[in-house]
Amino acid sequence: MAGKKIGIRQLVEFVLRAGDLSSTSNSQNTALEGARIHRKLQKAGGENYEKEVYVKRTVSMAGEDYVIDGRADGVVQTADQLLIEEIKTSDPDFEDLSENTLTLYWSQAKVYGAILTHDLDMPEVTIRLTYYQRTTDKITKTEKTYPRETLQKFFDELIEEYRSWLVMRSDWRKTRNQSIKDLAFPFADYRSGQRDLAVAVYKTVALKKRLFVEAPTGTGKTISTLFPSIKAMGEDLCDRLFYLTAKQSTRSVAEKGLQVMVDKGLKIKSITLTAKDKIIFPDEVDVAPEDNPYMIGYYDRLKDGLRDVFEHESQITRPIIETYAKKHMLDPFEFSLDISTFMDVIICDYNYLFDPIVYLQRFFSQPDDNNFFLVDEAHNLVSRARDMYTAQVDDRPIDALLAAGKMAKDNEDVQGITNQLKKVQTVFDQVKLPLTEQNQTQAVTTEELTSFRHGLEKFNSFVQDWLPKQPPVPFTSQILDFFFTLLRYVKISAFYDESYRVIVSLDEDGSVSVKELCLDPSPYLDMSLKMGRGVVFFSATLSPMAYFKETLGCETNGLSLQLTSPFLEKRQNILVTPYINTTYKQRENSLPQIVESIFAMVNAKKGNYLIFCPSYKYMTQIESAFLDRYQQFNVIEQSNQMDEKARQEFLDAFSKKYPHSLIGFSVLGGIFSEGIDLVGDHLIGVGIVSVGLPGLSDERDLLRNYFDQKNGKGFEYAYQLPGMNHVLQAAGRLIRSSQDAGNVVLMDNRFGSLRYTQLFPRHWQHYQRVYSTEQLAKNIAQFWQRVGEQKNEL
């Protein structure tokens, strides 16, 4: 049954890991490269060598069966001999590996040996630990032979140590599942579309599918996805939900959704993961792991901390994590990750599943049907995924590092690192040379710069040996920052394929940057999704579905569900203005029509309005032109790089009373065009200037050319659809509840063309064209009259 499997590596690491918490991020190895090295070594296994052998044993505890399983890298069996090979790949010398690391390596193989000697009825087994040092290609092989009885005793002791944790988890699962069986939908009635969505989500979990859901604002997407997923969990169809989001605000919505069900009797354990740089304790900042009291002896205190928090907490948020981390002297970020292995629901950012550098290896090192994924605001994942698989480095830090090194020129260790920095500078100079010779500022290639990457790898290999011997001073901290920047580039290089482009750019100051640009990460997203039994992608804007299915890695196996608005369509008035042309050449000429259209909307009814513009520059032009003609209105504007206080002041303005209408000028695709709730009369109208096309850029053109070759839809994928997505999100700020009403004025004649009307969501199909500002004003006045009549009827 789902929920009863325990990975052998997970078991070994939990029981036997001891000592300090040290940085594990300094290896240049990637999952892809590790798999490649494994395949290379396995090919050399010889006759009778069987690779990736699935090994499992069922053990019974507390009246329940648990499958202990994993895959042995290599097994050789003859009539009188059994050999198991365990392959490990990393950067340090074999001789430099810690005693606990070696214990974990050997113990994992010993569990394989305990199971296979029993299953194959072999008296003993030879275990070969093959260690591949990636930085030097050095292979170290060590063999040990164990009798079957010794390994069985080791396995039994391991299980006995873990027994109390399994029993604790099992007892909780029984409590959880019983509460789920008793749980009814937490509201008196389903909104329109909610039942259909809940049924579709449950079937998606049961059938191990991938579902794309477009559900307009007000559907109640969070509860409609969480509730059926949790009901499926109660039927042992899955054991762990990942609620993945793009923003902190959305994570709080998921927390509230869970709390609604908890208030109705649900027993469930959840955790919200916070980024490392935000949850770190102040006294940990700039402290080396070997000097950090929260990391020294971390694993010796971890189990006490885990048991404490598990027994006393259920909805675990950042303050709770910090409280228990302080109590048990544990690094809060790592503690939160360790807690997550015992949780039913994990609420976290997209990158914990999809980012190849920071994904949660404890959950996603191999496929696991226990995992099910809910991806909120999925329209954001397309651009986020490209960023996750893109890396950029430049040579700007090198001069500063060399200057800092000169301050300690008599130090031999510093001389060594400065020599390496000069070599890295030479590598950058080599990619810069063709540009300077041809008097160019940029070059694009489809070929990976392998010699450039090798140069970065050599520097990082030197740093890995050099850094542990250095005192924690500002210079070493600067070197470490540079190291991690180069490391990301090196790791992303492992994914380089035909969807990548390398952009080499020369700046005015002579510095050079190299960017590995990922144009299509869909195959890698598909790989990530295979780490679970299925996924539901949901958002208010997932049109056209075919675009999102293709770009999110589900082109051939994605199901779809599009729901209509749960609110009366007659409470939202969609108006297209063919008399306004906002193409770049016509922007100046269109200002009078835009100004008069804004006036027609805000003058019809006193209230609060948002006007979205395609850029800050254009926004300023429109606002100035409007104020030149109409000074009686209250006007606020979004500024670039607003801090949290400024953002809140902007939003608070919509809660105040004014003698005339309030107009907020904002930017399409910006911080106020999605993720904000201005309910009721806090917002009664939205104006959108232009179709939101992203600005022309070399990278956008590379994206366009790539998809032109792939599917003939380059302009749509690079420009039109991302722009329309911003439009739909901005318009979605208006109707947030069943009591809301208002106008959406689309100020661009392109909105009336078939290219755009075919992208309108279902609840926009009643849109109207208005051909003058006079007709616009009349239409809006009639709309408010109808809304007033509806209120009187109620």
Side-chain angles (χ1 to χ4, degrees):
M1 295 174 65
K4 304 291 180 64
K5 292 175 67 174
I6 303 167
I8 289 173
R9 180 174 177 177
Q10 171 193 344
L11 171 67
V12 167
E13 290 189 350
F14 183 81
V15 174
L16 298 178
R17 179 166 276 171
D20 303 342
L21 173 67
S22 59
S23 175
T24 57
S25 303
N26 57 358
S27 173
Q28 300 184 60
N29 193 36
T30 65
L32 283 179
E33 187 174 15
R36 179 185 62 78
I37 293 170
H38 272 54
R39 289 193 297 269
K40 175 183 175 182
L41 295 175
Q42 287 166 335
K43 282 183 179 179
E47 190 177 358
N48 298 323
Y49 187 95
E50 188 177 355
K51 63 182 181 180
E52 302 298 327
V53 176
Y54 181 64
V55 178
K56 71 172 182 177
R57 175 175 293 181
T58 302
V59 297
S60 181
M61 278 174 281
E64 291 193 85
D65 289 337
Y66 293 85
V67 176
I68 313 297
D69 71 343
R71 291 191 179 274
D73 293 321
V75 174
V76 178
Q77 183 188 9
T78 61
D80 57 356
Q81 185 183 19
L82 176 65
L83 181 143
I84 297 174
E85 181 175 44
E86 178 68 12
I87 300 172
K88 296 297 182 184
T89 306
S90 194
D91 293 354
D93 289 335
F94 182 77
E95 293 75 15
D96 293 337
L97 296 175
S98 70
E99 182 179 346
N100 188 243
T101 297
L102 289 171
T103 296
L104 297 176
Y105 286 174
W106 283 109
S107 296
Q108 187 175 341
K110 285 163 71 175
V111 174
Y112 297 140
I115 297 173
L116 289 179
T117 52
H118 175 272
D119 292 352
L120 302 175
D121 195 21
M122 300 295 289
E124 64 180 23
V125 62
T126 297
I127 295 176
R128 177 191 297 156
L129 177 60
T130 299
Y131 180 78
Y132 183 95
Q133 186 182 4
R134 199 198 58 81
T135 55
T136 63
D137 296 326
K138 179 182 177 182
I139 299 174
T140 303
K141 295 188 177 184
T142 310
E143 292 187 358
K144 295 181 181 180
T145 300
Y146 296 93
R148 172 174 163 180
E149 295 77 14
T150 301
L151 293 180
Q152 185 59 53
K153 184 174 182 292
F154 170 78
F155 180 82
D156 290 344
E157 290 173 349
L158 202 63
I159 292 298
E160 186 59 33
E161 173 71 19
Y162 199 57
R163 180 185 298 273
S164 64
W165 297 92
L166 288 178
V167 172
M168 180 182 76
R169 178 67 178 152
S170 174
D171 289 346
W172 170 255
R173 185 182 287 113
K174 292 174 184 176
T175 300
R176 179 198 73 186
N177 286 1
Q178 184 57 53
S179 77
I180 293 174
K181 287 180 172 63
D182 297 336
L183 181 69
F185 189 70
F187 297 104
D189 298 299
Y190 284 94
R191 291 179 185 174
S192 173
Q194 270 191 315
R195 186 184 293 274
D196 292 339
L197 175 53
V199 170
V201 171
Y202 184 90
K203 289 181 178 179
T204 301
V205 182
L207 300 176
K208 302 183 181 181
K209 297 294 185 178
R210 300 179 183 180
L211 175 66
F212 287 76
V213 178
E214 183 176 71
T217 300
T219 304
K221 295 183 287 293
T222 301
I223 201 69
S224 302
T225 52
L226 275 173
F227 173 72
S229 301
I230 289 171
K231 294 295 282 188
M233 181 185 289
E235 299 295 330
D236 276 338
L237 295 175
C238 65
D239 193 47
R240 188 181 299 111
L241 293 179
F242 288 87
Y243 193 101
L244 299 141
T245 75
K247 299 181 180 69
Q248 184 65 45
S249 59
T250 320
R251 293 193 273 283
S252 66
V253 172
E255 291 172 350
K256 292 174 183 176
L258 282 175
Q259 190 60 51
V260 167
M261 290 183 281
V262 168
D263 292 342
K264 296 292 184 178
L266 174 65
K267 306 291 185 184
I268 202 157
K269 290 191 179 290
S270 67
I271 187 169
T272 302
L273 298 181
T274 302
K276 186 173 185 176
D277 61 342
K278 293 182 179 179
I279 199 174
I280 188 172
F281 289 138
D283 46 338
E284 287 189 281
V285 177
D286 296 329
V287 177
E290 59 270 20
D291 297 322
N292 187 332
Y294 300 97
M295 293 186 175
I296 299 171
Y298 175 90
Y299 291 108
D300 301 328
R301 300 185 298 274
L302 174 61
K303 293 184 180 70
D304 288 340
L306 288 174
R307 192 175 293 277
D308 192 7
V309 73
F310 189 90
E311 290 177 350
H312 296 98
E313 305 292 345
S314 289
Q315 276 61 65
I316 301 173
T317 55
R318 174 178 171 177
I320 291 174
I321 294 167
E322 291 175 331
T323 297
Y324 284 85
K326 274 285 186 183
K327 177 180 178 180
H328 294 277
M329 289 300 292
L330 297 166
D331 175 78
F333 177 71
E334 291 295 333
F335 184 43
S336 70
L337 299 185
D338 285 317
I339 296 170
S340 68
T341 59
F342 293 92
M343 295 293 103
D344 307 309
V345 181
I346 300 171
I347 303 169
C348 58
D349 188 87
Y350 294 155
N351 60 7
Y352 288 105
L353 171 62
F354 297 110
D355 193 302
I357 309 301
V358 301
Y359 74 97
L360 296 174
Q361 295 187 36
R362 66 195 67 211
F363 295 115
F364 307 132
S365 57
Q366 61 183 12
D368 187 349
D369 279 353
N370 287 323
N371 301 326
F372 190 79
F373 309 126
L374 300 175
V375 181
D376 197 0
E377 301 292 353
H379 63 276
N380 285 305
L381 184 55
V382 177
S383 59
R384 278 285 302 273
R386 290 196 186 105
D387 291 341
M388 289 175 191
Y389 284 88
T390 293
Q392 182 171 354
V393 292
D394 64 66
D395 63 350
R396 285 189 178 88
I398 297 178
D399 284 342
L401 290 170
L402 288 172
K406 286 182 180 180
M407 302 295 291
K409 60 184 178 181
D410 295 331
N411 185 321
E412 291 184 5
D413 284 346
V414 174
Q415 279 294 302
I417 193 67
T418 54
N419 289 337
Q420 294 300 317
L421 284 166
K422 291 174 182 177
K423 291 180 181 180
V424 176
Q425 183 64 72
T426 299
V427 172
F428 275 98
D429 289 342
Q430 289 171 346
V431 298
K432 177 167 60 173
L433 183 60
L435 290 177
T436 56
E437 287 181 340
Q438 299 174 33
N439 197 28
Q440 294 179 330
T441 58
Q442 189 177 89
V444 179
T445 177
T446 59
E447 300 297 323
E448 183 196 358
L449 304 182
T450 53
S451 59
F452 176 75
R453 172 172 55 84
H454 289 155
L456 305 188
E457 288 179 319
K458 289 177 182 177
F459 173 80
N460 276 11
S461 296
F462 181 89
V463 172
Q464 286 174 306
D465 293 332
W466 175 85
L467 198 59
K469 306 168 188 175
Q470 308 307 311
V473 295
F475 178 64
T476 57
S477 179
Q478 292 168 349
I479 289 289
L480 187 62
D481 290 341
F482 189 50
F483 165 86
F484 280 122
T485 301
L486 302 188
L487 179 61
R488 178 174 180 84
Y489 184 96
V490 168
K491 287 192 171 186
I492 290 299
S493 296
F495 298 91
Y496 201 95
D497 61 13
E498 67 278 359
S499 73
Y500 273 84
R501 301 292 182 268
V502 175
I503 304 173
V504 182
S505 303
L506 188 62
D507 206 348
E508 292 180 357
D509 62 3
S511 62
V512 63
S513 67
V514 182
K515 186 172 191 176
E516 290 181 318
L517 175 66
C518 180
L519 301 172
D520 183 12
S522 58
Y524 307 120
L525 298 179
D526 179 50
M527 287 170 52
S528 296
L529 293 172
K530 288 176 180 176
M531 296 300 108
R533 70 182 288 123
V535 62
V536 176
F537 293 102
F538 55 101
S539 172
T541 55
L542 281 183
S543 294
M545 284 283 189
Y547 163 72
F548 285 100
K549 288 181 181 179
E550 180 176 357
T551 54
L552 295 179
C554 306
E555 184 175 13
T556 60
N557 57 355
L559 307 175
S560 60
L561 174 66
Q562 290 180 290
L563 301 175
T564 56
S565 174
F567 306 131
L568 296 175
E569 290 183 353
K570 56 187 177 182
R571 294 187 67 81
Q572 179 175 243
N573 196 27
I574 309 293
L575 300 171
V576 176
T577 59
Y579 58 87
I580 295 177
N581 185 338
T582 71
T583 57
Y584 190 77
K585 291 182 179 180
Q586 294 297 320
R587 284 189 175 181
E588 288 290 338
N589 296 334
S590 68
L591 278 175
Q593 295 99 319
I594 293 173
V595 166
E596 294 306 315
S597 298
I598 295 173
F599 175 76
M601 178 168 59
V602 303
N603 193 54
K605 179 179 174 63
K606 191 182 82 170
N608 299 332
Y609 297 84
L610 274 171
I611 308 299
F612 291 98
C613 308
S615 68
Y616 283 100
K617 181 179 178 181
Y618 198 15
M619 179 188 76
T620 302
Q621 287 181 302
I622 293 170
E623 181 184 359
S624 297
F626 183 85
L627 291 176
D628 283 345
R629 185 164 176 80
Y630 301 106
Q631 297 86 30
Q632 68 269 36
F633 298 100
N634 302 281
V635 173
I636 56 175
E637 67 172 17
Q638 176 185 347
S639 60
N640 204 356
Q641 297 181 335
M642 298 174 78
D643 59 21
E644 192 61 39
K645 181 182 177 183
R647 295 181 190 183
Q648 194 58 51
E649 288 175 350
F650 185 95
L651 294 175
D652 288 344
F654 289 83
S655 302
K656 299 175 181 178
K657 299 296 183 180
Y658 302 94
H660 298 282
S661 290
L662 170 71
I663 307 171
F665 285 90
S666 190
V667 176
L668 271 175
I671 53 177
F672 301 118
S673 63
E674 62 176 287
I676 63 168
D677 281 306
L678 298 172
V679 182
D681 59 4
H682 287 183
L683 184 67
I684 65 169
V686 169
I688 298 175
V689 180
S690 89
V691 291
L693 295 179
L696 293 171
S697 70
D698 293 336
E699 291 188 10
R700 284 278 168 190
D701 286 343
L702 289 173
L703 191 63
R704 181 188 62 191
N705 294 339
Y706 171 82
F707 279 105
D708 267 339
Q709 293 177 9
K710 183 178 181 181
N711 58 20
K713 299 179 180 179
F715 175 77
E716 292 95 319
Y717 280 30
Y719 288 100
Q720 183 190 10
L721 296 179
M724 189 61 186
N725 195 269
H726 289 155
V727 168
L728 293 173
Q729 283 294 314
R733 298 314 94 208
L734 182 61
I735 304 296
R736 310 300 295 177
S737 75
S738 59
Q739 304 304 311
D740 295 359
N743 296 273
V744 176
V745 180
L746 303 174
M747 290 179 257
D748 193 304
N749 58 5
R750 286 171 288 186
F751 281 120
S753 67
L754 180 61
R755 177 187 284 270
Y756 280 92
T757 56
Q758 66 184 359
L759 299 178
F760 284 8
R762 290 185 179 183
H763 56 285
W764 279 24
Q765 296 309 310
H766 64 293
Y767 76 93
Q768 301 174 66
R769 291 182 174 88
V770 289
Y771 294 92
S772 66
T773 54
E774 291 78 14
Q775 188 180 355
L776 175 66
K778 182 178 179 181
N779 187 295
I780 291 174
Q782 291 172 342
F783 168 77
W784 286 121
Q785 183 178 352
R786 291 195 302 272
V787 169
E789 291 171 353
Q790 293 166 19
K791 286 184 178 180
N792 292 333
E793 291 173 3
L794 295 174

